[in-house]
């Protein structure tokens, strides 16, 4: 099976950079992706990047920047307590 997506959108805020207890860099940001329909709908997608990509995103990307993201889609569900 193929699980690959390409998204083009704008960053909603500056990327966040953290490190795991094992020392691996992990970053995240939210991407606003317009659907391109006449109704002007927008999807907000949470993106997670690891290691060198996380550090690069943290250094070079800022809120409002137009970016293209290629990766795989993973949907997780959780319940708030």
């Amino acid at each position: 099976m193929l699980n690959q997506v390409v998204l083009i959108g704008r960053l909603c805020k500056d990327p966040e950079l953290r490190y795991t207890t094992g020392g691996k860099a992990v970053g995240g940001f939210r991407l606003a992706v317009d659907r391109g329909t006449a109704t002007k709908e927008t999807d907000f997608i949470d993106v997670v990047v690891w290691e060198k990509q996380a550090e690069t995103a943290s250094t070079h990307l800022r809120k409002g920047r137009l970016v293209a993201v290629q990766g795989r889609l993973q949907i997780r569900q959780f319940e708030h307590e």
Side-chain angles (χ1 to χ4, degrees):
M1 285 194 217
L2 179 65
N3 182 0
Q4 184 174 336
V5 295
V6 177
L7 302 169
I8 299 174
R10 296 197 179 273
L11 270 67
C12 296
K13 64 178 187 175
D14 292 350
E16 296 178 4
L17 179 64
R18 312 181 297 282
Y19 290 89
T20 66
T21 55
K24 286 188 179 184
V26 59
F29 52 88
R30 181 166 287 178
L31 197 61
V33 179
D34 292 333
R35 290 190 184 184
T37 61
T39 60
K40 301 286 185 185
E41 293 178 294
T42 303
D43 293 308
F44 296 91
I45 311 294
D46 291 324
V47 178
V48 177
V49 290
W50 289 88
E51 299 184 28
K52 184 66 177 169
Q53 289 179 338
E55 293 171 342
T56 300
S58 173
T59 302
H60 297 289
L61 300 181
R62 293 290 172 254
K63 178 182 176 179
R65 179 94 184 252
L66 183 66
V67 297
V69 175
Q70 179 181 351
R72 65 182 173 89
L73 183 62
Q74 180 178 353
I75 298 173
R76 296 180 286 179
Q77 297 179 2
F78 61 95
E79 292 183 23
H80 294 281
E81 294 182 24

Coordinates of all heavy atoms in Angstrom, one line a residue:
M1 N 0.8 -1.2 0.0 CA 0.0 0.0 0.0 C 0.9 1.2 0.0 O 2.0 1.2 0.5 CB -0.9 0.0 1.2 CG -2.0 -0.9 1.2 SD -3.2 -0.5 2.5 CE -3.7 -2.1 2.9
L2 N 0.3 2.3 -0.5 CA 1.0 3.6 -0.6 C 0.4 4.6 0.4 O -0.8 4.7 0.4 CB 1.0 4.1 -2.0 CG 1.7 5.4 -2.3 CD1 3.2 5.3 -2.0 CD2 1.4 5.9 -3.7
N3 N 1.2 5.2 1.2 CA 0.7 6.2 2.1 C 1.6 7.4 2.0 O 2.6 7.6 2.7 CB 0.7 5.7 3.6 CG 0.2 6.7 4.5 OD1 -0.2 7.8 4.2 ND2 0.1 6.4 5.8
Q4 N 1.3 8.3 1.0 CA 2.1 9.5 0.8 C 1.2 10.7 0.5 O 0.2 10.6 -0.2 CB 3.0 9.2 -0.4 CG 4.0 10.4 -0.7 CD 4.9 10.0 -1.8 OE1 5.2 8.9 -2.1 NE2 5.5 11.0 -2.4
V5 N 1.5 11.8 1.2 CA 0.8 13.0 1.0 C 1.7 14.2 0.7 O 2.9 14.2 1.1 CB -0.1 13.4 2.2 CG1 -1.2 12.4 2.4 CG2 0.8 13.6 3.4
V6 N 1.2 15.1 -0.1 CA 2.0 16.4 -0.3 C 1.0 17.5 0.0 O -0.1 17.6 -0.5 CB 2.4 16.5 -1.8 CG1 3.1 17.8 -2.0 CG2 3.4 15.4 -2.2
L7 N 1.4 18.4 0.9 CA 0.6 19.5 1.3 C 1.3 20.8 1.1 O 2.5 20.9 1.3 CB 0.3 19.4 2.8 CG -0.4 18.1 3.3 CD1 -0.4 18.1 4.8 CD2 -1.9 18.1 2.8
I8 N 0.6 21.8 0.6 CA 1.2 23.2 0.5 C 0.3 24.1 1.3 O -0.9 24.1 1.1 CB 1.3 23.6 -1.0 CG1 2.2 22.6 -1.8 CG2 1.8 25.0 -1.1 CD1 2.2 22.9 -3.2
G9 N 0.9 24.8 2.2 CA 0.1 25.8 3.0 C 1.0 26.7 3.8 O 2.2 26.7 3.6
R10 N 0.4 27.5 4.6 CA 1.2 28.5 5.4 C 1.2 28.0 6.9 O 0.3 27.5 7.4 CB 0.5 29.8 5.3 CG 0.6 30.4 3.9 CD 0.3 31.8 3.9 NE 0.4 32.3 2.5 CZ 1.5 32.7 1.9 NH1 2.7 32.7 2.6 NH2 1.5 33.1 0.7
L11 N 2.4 28.3 7.6 CA 2.5 28.0 9.0 C 1.6 28.9 9.8 O 1.6 30.1 9.6 CB 4.0 28.2 9.4 CG 4.9 26.9 9.3 CD1 5.1 26.6 7.8 CD2 6.2 27.2 10.0
C12 N 0.9 28.3 10.8 CA 0.0 29.1 11.7 C 0.8 29.8 12.8 O 0.4 30.8 13.3 CB -1.0 28.1 12.3 SG -2.1 27.4 11.1
K13 N 2.0 29.2 13.1 CA 2.9 29.8 14.1 C 4.3 29.3 13.9 O 4.4 28.3 13.2 CB 2.4 29.6 15.6 CG 2.3 28.2 16.0 CD 1.9 28.1 17.5 CE 2.0 26.7 18.1 NZ 1.7 26.7 19.5
D14 N 5.2 29.8 14.6 CA 6.6 29.3 14.5 C 6.7 27.9 14.9 O 6.0 27.5 15.9 CB 7.6 30.2 15.4 CG 7.7 31.6 14.9 OD1 7.3 31.9 13.7 OD2 8.3 32.4 15.6
P15 N 7.6 27.1 14.3 CA 7.7 25.7 14.7 C 8.3 25.6 16.1 O 9.0 26.4 16.5 CB 8.8 25.1 13.7 CG 8.7 26.1 12.5 CD 8.4 27.4 13.1
E16 N 7.9 24.5 16.8 CA 8.4 24.2 18.1 C 9.5 23.1 18.0 O 9.3 22.2 17.2 CB 7.3 23.7 19.0 CG 6.2 24.8 19.2 CD 5.1 24.3 20.1 OE1 5.1 23.1 20.6 OE2 4.1 25.0 20.3
L17 N 10.5 23.2 18.7 CA 11.6 22.2 18.7 C 11.8 21.7 20.2 O 11.9 22.5 21.1 CB 12.9 22.8 18.2 CG 14.1 21.9 18.2 CD1 13.9 20.8 17.2 CD2 15.4 22.7 17.8
R18 N 11.8 20.4 20.3 CA 12.1 19.7 21.6 C 13.1 18.6 21.3 O 13.4 18.2 20.2 CB 10.8 19.1 22.2 CG 9.6 20.0 22.2 CD 8.4 19.3 22.8 NE 7.9 18.1 22.1 CZ 7.1 18.1 21.0 NH1 6.9 19.3 20.4 NH2 6.7 17.0 20.4
Y19 N 13.5 18.0 22.4 CA 14.4 16.8 22.3 C 13.8 15.7 23.2 O 13.3 16.0 24.3 CB 15.8 17.2 22.8 CG 16.5 18.1 21.8 CD1 16.4 19.5 21.9 CD2 17.2 17.5 20.7 CE1 17.0 20.3 20.9 CE2 17.8 18.4 19.8 CZ 17.7 19.7 19.9 OH 18.3 20.6 19.0
T20 N 13.9 14.5 22.7 CA 13.4 13.3 23.5 C 14.4 13.1 24.6 O 15.5 13.6 24.6 CB 13.3 12.1 22.6 OG1 14.6 11.7 22.1 CG2 12.3 12.3 21.4
T21 N 14.1 12.2 25.5 CA 15.0 11.8 26.6 C 16.2 11.1 26.0 O 17.3 11.2 26.6 CB 14.3 10.9 27.6 OG1 13.8 9.8 26.9 CG2 13.2 11.7 28.4
G22 N 16.1 10.6 24.8 CA 17.2 9.9 24.1 C 18.1 10.9 23.3 O 19.1 10.5 22.7
G23 N 17.7 12.2 23.3 CA 18.5 13.2 22.6 C 18.1 13.4 21.2 O 18.7 14.2 20.5
K24 N 17.0 12.8 20.7 CA 16.6 13.1 19.3 C 15.7 14.3 19.2 O 14.9 14.5 20.0 CB 15.8 11.9 18.7 CG 16.6 10.7 18.4 CD 15.7 9.6 17.7 CE 16.6 8.4 17.4 NZ 15.8 7.4 16.6
A25 N 16.0 15.1 18.2 CA 15.2 16.3 18.0 C 13.9 16.0 17.4 O 13.8 15.1 16.5 CB 16.0 17.3 17.0
V26 N 12.8 16.6 17.9 CA 11.5 16.4 17.3 C 10.8 17.8 17.3 O 10.9 18.6 18.2 CB 10.6 15.4 18.1 CG1 10.5 15.8 19.6 CG2 9.3 15.2 17.5
G27 N 10.2 18.1 16.2 CA 9.6 19.4 16.0 C 8.2 19.3 15.5 O 7.8 18.2 15.0
G28 N 7.5 20.4 15.6 CA 6.1 20.3 15.1 C 5.6 21.7 14.8 O 6.1 22.7 15.3
F29 N 4.7 21.7 13.9 CA 4.0 23.0 13.5 C 2.7 22.7 12.9 O 2.4 21.5 12.5 CB 4.9 23.8 12.5 CG 5.3 23.1 11.3 CD1 4.6 23.0 10.1 CD2 6.6 22.4 11.3 CE1 5.0 22.3 9.0 CE2 7.0 21.8 10.2 CZ 6.3 21.7 9.0
R30 N 1.8 23.7 12.8 CA 0.5 23.5 12.2 C 0.5 24.2 10.9 O 0.9 25.3 10.8 CB -0.6 24.1 13.2 CG -2.0 23.9 12.6 CD -3.0 24.2 13.6 NE -3.0 23.0 14.5 CZ -3.8 22.9 15.5 NH1 -4.6 23.8 15.9 NH2 -3.8 21.8 16.3
L31 N -0.1 23.5 9.9 CA -0.1 24.0 8.5 C -1.5 24.3 8.1 O -2.4 23.5 8.3 CB 0.5 23.0 7.6 CG 1.0 23.4 6.2 CD1 2.1 24.4 6.3 CD2 1.5 22.1 5.5
A32 N -1.8 25.5 7.6 CA -3.1 25.9 7.1 C -3.1 25.7 5.6 O -2.4 26.3 4.9 CB -3.4 27.4 7.4
V33 N -4.0 24.7 5.2 CA -4.0 24.3 3.8 C -5.4 24.6 3.2 O -6.4 24.1 3.7 CB -3.7 22.8 3.7 CG1 -3.8 22.4 2.2 CG2 -2.4 22.4 4.3
D34 N -5.4 25.5 2.2 CA -6.7 25.9 1.6 C -7.1 24.7 0.7 O -6.3 24.1 0.0 CB -6.5 27.2 0.7 CG -6.3 28.4 1.6 OD1 -6.8 28.4 2.8 OD2 -5.7 29.3 1.1
R35 N -8.4 24.5 0.7 CA -8.9 23.4 -0.2 C -9.0 23.8 -1.6 O -9.2 22.9 -2.5 CB -10.3 22.9 0.3 CG -10.2 22.2 1.6 CD -11.5 21.6 2.0 NE -11.5 20.9 3.3 CZ -12.5 20.3 3.8 NH1 -13.6 20.1 3.1 NH2 -12.4 19.7 4.9
G36 N -9.0 25.1 -1.9 CA -9.1 25.5 -3.3 C -10.5 25.5 -3.8 O -10.7 25.5 -5.0
T37 N -11.5 25.5 -3.0 CA -12.9 25.5 -3.4 C -13.4 26.9 -3.4 O -12.8 27.8 -2.8 CB -13.7 24.6 -2.5 OG1 -13.7 25.1 -1.2 CG2 -13.2 23.1 -2.5
A38 N -14.6 27.0 -4.0 CA -15.2 28.4 -4.0 C -15.7 28.8 -2.6 O -15.9 30.0 -2.4 CB -16.4 28.3 -4.9
T39 N -15.8 27.8 -1.7 CA -16.3 28.2 -0.3 C -15.1 28.6 0.6 O -15.4 29.0 1.7 CB -16.9 27.0 0.3 OG1 -16.0 25.9 0.4 CG2 -18.2 26.6 -0.4
K40 N -13.9 28.6 0.1 CA -12.7 29.1 0.9 C -12.5 28.3 2.2 O -12.2 28.9 3.2 CB -12.9 30.6 1.2 CG -13.0 31.5 0.0 CD -11.6 31.6 -0.7 CE -11.7 32.6 -1.8 NZ -10.5 32.7 -2.6
E41 N -12.7 27.0 2.1 CA -12.4 26.1 3.3 C -10.9 25.9 3.5 O -10.2 25.8 2.5 CB -13.1 24.8 3.1 CG -14.6 24.9 3.1 CD -15.3 23.6 2.8 OE1 -15.1 23.0 1.7 OE2 -15.9 23.1 3.8
T42 N -10.6 25.8 4.7 CA -9.2 25.6 5.1 C -9.1 24.5 6.1 O -9.9 24.4 7.0 CB -8.6 26.9 5.8 OG1 -8.7 28.0 4.8 CG2 -7.1 26.7 6.1
D43 N -8.1 23.6 5.9 CA -7.8 22.5 6.8 C -6.6 22.9 7.6 O -5.6 23.4 7.0 CB -7.6 21.2 6.1 CG -8.9 20.7 5.4 OD1 -9.9 20.6 6.1 OD2 -8.8 20.4 4.2
F44 N -6.5 22.5 8.9 CA -5.4 22.8 9.7 C -4.8 21.4 10.1 O -5.4 20.6 10.7 CB -5.8 23.6 11.0 CG -6.3 24.9 10.6 CD1 -7.6 25.2 10.4 CD2 -5.4 26.0 10.5 CE1 -8.1 26.4 10.1 CE2 -5.9 27.3 10.2 CZ -7.2 27.5 10.0
I45 N -3.5 21.2 9.6 CA -2.9 19.9 9.7 C -1.7 20.1 10.7 O -0.8 20.9 10.5 CB -2.4 19.4 8.3 CG1 -3.5 19.5 7.3 CG2 -1.8 18.1 8.4 CD1 -4.6 18.6 7.5
D46 N -1.6 19.2 11.7 CA -0.4 19.2 12.5 C 0.6 18.3 11.9 O 0.4 17.2 11.5 CB -0.8 18.6 13.9 CG -1.7 19.5 14.7 OD1 -1.5 20.7 14.6 OD2 -2.6 19.0 15.4
V47 N 1.8 18.9 11.8 CA 3.0 18.2 11.1 C 4.0 17.9 12.2 O 4.4 18.8 13.0 CB 3.5 19.1 10.0 CG1 4.7 18.4 9.4 CG2 2.5 19.4 9.0
V48 N 4.6 16.7 12.2 CA 5.7 16.4 13.1 C 6.9 16.0 12.2 O 6.8 15.3 11.2 CB 5.3 15.1 13.9 CG1 6.5 14.7 14.8 CG2 4.1 15.4 14.8
V49 N 8.1 16.6 12.6 CA 9.3 16.4 11.9 C 10.4 15.9 12.9 O 10.3 16.3 14.1 CB 9.8 17.6 11.1 CG1 8.9 17.8 9.9 CG2 9.9 18.8 11.9
W50 N 11.3 15.1 12.4 CA 12.3 14.5 13.3 C 13.7 14.8 12.9 O 14.0 15.1 11.8 CB 12.1 13.0 13.3 CG 10.9 12.5 14.0 CD1 9.7 12.3 13.4 CD2 10.7 12.1 15.4 NE1 8.8 11.9 14.3 CE2 9.4 11.8 15.5 CE3 11.6 12.1 16.4 CZ2 8.9 11.4 16.8 CZ3 11.1 11.7 17.7 CH2 9.8 11.3 17.8
E51 N 14.6 14.8 13.9 CA 16.0 14.9 13.8 C 16.4 16.2 13.0 O 16.1 17.3 13.3 CB 16.6 13.6 13.3 CG 16.3 12.5 14.3 CD 16.9 11.2 13.9 OE1 18.0 11.2 13.2 OE2 16.4 10.1 14.2
K52 N 17.2 16.0 11.9 CA 17.8 17.2 11.2 C 16.7 18.0 10.6 O 16.8 19.3 10.6 CB 18.7 16.7 10.1 CG 19.4 17.8 9.4 CD 20.4 18.5 10.3 CE 21.1 19.6 9.5 NZ 21.9 20.5 10.4
Q53 N 15.6 17.4 10.1 CA 14.5 18.2 9.6 C 13.8 19.1 10.6 O 13.4 20.2 10.4 CB 13.4 17.3 8.9 CG 13.9 16.6 7.6 CD 12.9 15.7 7.0 OE1 12.0 15.2 7.7 NE2 13.0 15.5 5.7
A54 N 13.7 18.6 11.9 CA 13.2 19.3 13.0 C 14.0 20.5 13.3 O 13.5 21.7 13.4 CB 13.0 18.5 14.2
E55 N 15.3 20.4 13.3 CA 16.2 21.5 13.6 C 16.2 22.5 12.4 O 16.2 23.7 12.7 CB 17.7 20.9 13.8 CG 17.7 20.1 15.1 CD 19.0 19.4 15.3 OE1 19.8 19.2 14.3 OE2 19.3 18.9 16.4
T56 N 16.2 22.0 11.2 CA 16.1 22.9 10.0 C 14.8 23.7 10.0 O 14.9 24.9 9.8 CB 16.3 22.1 8.7 OG1 17.5 21.4 8.8 CG2 16.2 23.0 7.5
A57 N 13.7 23.1 10.3 CA 12.4 23.8 10.3 C 12.4 24.8 11.4 O 12.0 26.0 11.2 CB 11.3 22.8 10.6
S58 N 13.0 24.5 12.6 CA 13.0 25.5 13.7 C 13.9 26.7 13.3 O 13.6 27.8 13.7 CB 13.6 24.8 14.9 OG 13.8 25.7 16.0
T59 N 14.9 26.5 12.6 CA 15.9 27.5 12.2 C 15.3 28.4 11.1 O 15.5 29.7 11.2 CB 17.2 27.0 11.8 OG1 17.7 26.2 12.8 CG2 18.2 28.0 11.4
H60 N 14.7 27.8 10.1 CA 14.4 28.6 8.9 C 12.9 28.9 8.6 O 12.6 29.8 7.8 CB 14.9 27.8 7.6 CG 16.4 27.6 7.6 ND1 17.2 28.6 7.4 CD2 17.1 26.5 7.9 CE1 18.5 28.2 7.4 NE2 18.4 26.9 7.7
L61 N 12.0 28.3 9.3 CA 10.6 28.5 9.1 C 10.0 29.5 10.2 O 10.4 29.4 11.3 CB 9.8 27.2 9.1 CG 10.2 26.2 8.0 CD1 9.4 25.0 8.1 CD2 10.2 26.8 6.6
R62 N 9.1 30.3 9.7 CA 8.4 31.2 10.6 C 6.9 31.3 10.3 O 6.5 31.0 9.2 CB 9.0 32.6 10.5 CG 10.4 32.7 11.0 CD 10.5 32.6 12.5 NE 11.8 32.5 13.0 CZ 12.4 31.3 13.5 NH1 11.7 30.2 13.4 NH2 13.6 31.3 13.9
K63 N 6.1 31.8 11.2 CA 4.7 32.0 11.0 C 4.4 32.7 9.7 O 5.0 33.7 9.4 CB 4.1 32.8 12.2 CG 2.6 33.0 12.1 CD 2.1 33.9 13.3 CE 0.7 34.2 13.1 NZ 0.2 35.0 14.2
G64 N 3.4 32.2 9.0 CA 3.0 32.8 7.7 C 3.8 32.3 6.5 O 3.3 32.6 5.4
R65 N 4.8 31.6 6.7 CA 5.7 31.2 5.6 C 5.0 30.1 4.8 O 4.4 29.2 5.3 CB 7.0 30.6 6.1 CG 8.0 30.1 5.1 CD 9.0 31.2 4.7 NE 9.8 30.7 3.6 CZ 11.1 30.4 3.8 NH1 11.7 30.6 5.0 NH2 11.8 30.0 2.8
L66 N 5.0 30.2 3.4 CA 4.4 29.2 2.6 C 5.4 28.0 2.4 O 6.6 28.3 2.1 CB 4.1 29.8 1.2 CG 3.4 28.9 0.2 CD1 2.0 28.5 0.7 CD2 3.4 29.6 -1.2
V67 N 5.0 26.8 2.7 CA 5.8 25.7 2.7 C 5.1 24.5 2.0 O 3.9 24.4 2.0 CB 6.3 25.2 4.0 CG1 7.2 26.3 4.7 CG2 5.2 24.8 5.0
A68 N 5.9 23.6 1.4 CA 5.4 22.3 0.9 C 5.9 21.2 1.8 O 7.1 21.2 2.2 CB 5.8 22.1 -0.5
V69 N 5.1 20.3 2.2 CA 5.4 19.2 3.1 C 5.1 17.9 2.3 O 4.0 17.7 1.8 CB 4.7 19.2 4.4 CG1 4.9 18.0 5.2 CG2 5.0 20.5 5.1
Q70 N 6.1 16.9 2.3 CA 5.8 15.6 1.7 C 6.1 14.6 2.8 O 7.1 14.7 3.5 CB 6.8 15.4 0.6 CG 6.6 14.0 0.0 CD 7.5 13.7 -1.2 OE1 8.2 14.6 -1.7 NE2 7.5 12.5 -1.7
G71 N 5.2 13.7 3.0 CA 5.4 12.6 4.0 C 4.2 11.6 4.0 O 3.6 11.5 3.0
R72 N 4.0 11.0 5.2 CA 2.9 10.0 5.3 C 1.9 10.5 6.2 O 2.2 11.3 7.1 CB 3.5 8.7 5.7 CG 4.1 8.6 7.1 CD 4.6 7.2 7.4 NE 5.3 7.2 8.6 CZ 4.8 7.0 9.8 NH1 3.5 6.7 9.9 NH2 5.5 7.0 10.9
L73 N 0.7 10.1 6.0 CA -0.4 10.5 6.9 C -0.6 9.5 8.0 O -0.6 8.3 7.8 CB -1.7 10.6 6.0 CG -2.9 11.1 6.7 CD1 -2.8 12.5 7.2 CD2 -4.1 11.0 5.8
Q74 N -0.7 10.0 9.2 CA -1.0 9.2 10.4 C -2.0 9.9 11.2 O -1.8 11.0 11.6 CB 0.3 9.0 11.2 CG 0.1 8.1 12.4 CD 1.4 7.9 13.2 OE1 2.5 8.3 12.8 NE2 1.3 7.3 14.3
I75 N -3.1 9.2 11.5 CA -4.2 9.7 12.3 C -4.3 9.0 13.6 O -4.3 7.8 13.6 CB -5.5 9.6 11.5 CG1 -5.5 10.4 10.2 CG2 -6.7 10.1 12.4 CD1 -6.7 10.2 9.3
R76 N -4.2 9.8 14.7 CA -4.3 9.3 16.0 C -5.5 9.8 16.7 O -5.8 11.0 16.5 CB -3.0 9.6 16.8 CG -1.8 8.9 16.2 CD -0.6 9.3 17.0 NE -0.2 10.7 16.7 CZ 0.8 11.3 17.3 NH1 1.5 10.7 18.1 NH2 1.0 12.5 16.9
Q77 N -6.1 9.1 17.6 CA -7.2 9.5 18.3 C -6.9 9.4 19.8 O -6.2 8.5 20.2 CB -8.5 8.7 18.1 CG -8.9 8.8 16.6 CD -10.2 8.0 16.4 OE1 -10.7 7.4 17.2 NE2 -10.6 8.0 15.1
F78 N -7.4 10.4 20.6 CA -7.1 10.3 22.0 C -8.3 11.0 22.7 O -9.1 11.8 22.1 CB -5.8 11.0 22.4 CG -5.7 12.5 22.1 CD1 -6.1 13.4 23.0 CD2 -5.3 12.9 20.8 CE1 -6.0 14.8 22.7 CE2 -5.3 14.3 20.5 CZ -5.6 15.2 21.5
E79 N -8.5 10.7 24.0 CA -9.6 11.3 24.7 C -9.0 12.3 25.7 O -8.0 12.0 26.4 CB -10.4 10.3 25.4 CG -11.2 9.4 24.5 CD -12.0 8.4 25.3 OE1 -12.3 8.6 26.4 OE2 -12.4 7.4 24.7
H80 N -9.6 13.5 25.9 CA -9.2 14.4 26.9 C -9.8 13.9 28.2 O -10.9 13.4 28.3 CB -9.8 15.8 26.6 CG -9.2 16.4 25.4 ND1 -8.0 17.0 25.3 CD2 -9.7 16.5 24.1 CE1 -7.7 17.4 24.1 NE2 -8.7 17.2 23.4
E81 N -9.0 14.1 29.3 CA -9.5 13.7 30.6 C -10.2 14.9 31.3 O -10.1 16.0 31.0 CB -8.3 13.4 31.5 CG -7.6 12.1 31.0 CD -6.4 11.7 31.8 OE1 -6.4 12.1 33.0 OE2 -5.6 11.1 31.3

